[in-house]
Amino acid sequence: MMPRPLLQILLALTLLLAAKLLWDPRPGSTPDEQTSRRLDTLPKTYIDQVQTWSFDENGNLNDMLEARRVERYSRGDYSMITEPRLYSHSEDGRTWSMSAERGRFQHDEEQLLLRRNVILSHDQTGSRMRTNALDVQLSARTARGDRPVTIVQGDNRTTADGLVVDLEQETVLLKPNVETLYVPPPDPKTR
């Protein structure tokens, strides 16, 4: 008969060896299909309170982007942006401001897709354009929207089915069904 302490030690070692053989906490070399799908939906990286600047080849400021949060996804090479604000600068110092509730930046195409409560403003004239979707080609410095748009400047209001904006040339082309409500300025003689 074995002494009791030696029997307890051998029993403990046997249990440890059995646990080691049956339980391996290391993950498998390849995750299962369900885990792979979940991992694909998670961002690769994220940043809170973002400010970025882009410059042209001469060192002049082109664009400035601010956002509450940016999440970068490797599959599809895009970033999801929460509350993006874009400031686009032209060579003559004129600026356009854009904001939205959310956005998506396609890295390979240099395209910023703004969605929900989009506001595009020409900062020097005070014109404000409101829509729900605006696609901005940063390299071409253009913006296009195919959803109804409302343009407000002072008391004047214009609506259309969409628009195309050349940010460099500072031109706005309105799509069909344009309607304008023009409020003339007060006559200085009647004041």
Side-chain angles (χ1 to χ4, degrees):
M1 189 153 193
M2 288 179 119
R4 190 161 186 89
L6 183 58
L7 185 61
Q8 289 175 343
I9 291 173
L10 285 175
L11 182 61
L13 286 174
T14 304
L15 288 174
L16 284 174
L17 183 60
K20 172 77 173 132
L21 291 173
L22 297 175
W23 181 65
D24 186 4
R26 294 175 296 174
S29 58
T30 57
D32 61 48
E33 190 175 320
Q34 188 177 15
T35 302
S36 294
R37 276 184 294 197
R38 274 196 320 265
L39 290 174
D40 285 342
T41 62
L42 296 175
K44 182 178 177 183
T45 57
Y46 69 91
I47 304 171
D48 289 327
Q49 303 303 324
V50 177
Q51 286 188 336
T52 63
W53 298 269
S54 69
F55 299 89
D56 66 14
E57 59 277 351
N58 297 322
N60 298 317
L61 180 63
N62 271 345
D63 303 303
M64 184 172 71
L65 176 69
E66 297 176 346
R68 189 166 62 85
R69 182 179 179 100
V70 175
E71 297 173 337
R72 173 93 186 242
Y73 294 83
S74 54
R75 178 175 272 189
D77 196 26
Y78 68 94
S79 293
M80 295 304 294
I81 306 170
T82 305
E83 297 177 13
R85 293 174 306 282
L86 177 70
Y87 306 97
S88 180
H89 297 261
S90 60
E91 287 182 12
D92 60 2
R94 296 194 173 266
T95 58
W96 293 85
S97 300
M98 297 166 229
S99 65
E101 286 183 24
R102 58 187 174 92
R104 177 180 172 131
F105 182 67
Q106 296 293 142
H107 294 275
D108 55 345
E109 300 170 17
E110 291 188 39
Q111 185 177 32
L112 178 62
L113 309 174
L114 299 173
R115 299 295 183 262
R116 294 189 14 211
N117 296 322
V118 179
I119 299 173
L120 170 64
S121 300
H122 187 266
D123 296 329
Q124 283 66 44
T125 64
S127 296
R128 294 173 60 89
M129 297 155 234
R130 292 181 179 270
T131 186
N132 276 319
L134 189 67
D135 299 347
V136 183
Q137 287 294 136
L138 296 174
S139 57
R141 305 192 51 75
T142 59
R144 174 181 299 276
D146 293 325
R147 301 253 179 99
V149 62
T150 301
I151 303 170
V152 176
Q153 185 171 10
D155 292 331
N156 305 317
R157 177 179 304 277
T158 302
T159 58
D161 286 345
L163 77 164
V164 177
V165 180
D166 185 323
L167 301 172
E168 194 64 42
Q169 298 297 316
E170 301 180 72
T171 58
V172 177
L173 172 68
L174 297 176
K175 299 221 176 162
N177 298 318
V178 178
E179 293 183 19
T180 299
L181 174 63
Y182 175 71
V183 178
D187 186 5
K189 294 178 187 175
T190 60
R191 285 190 188 183

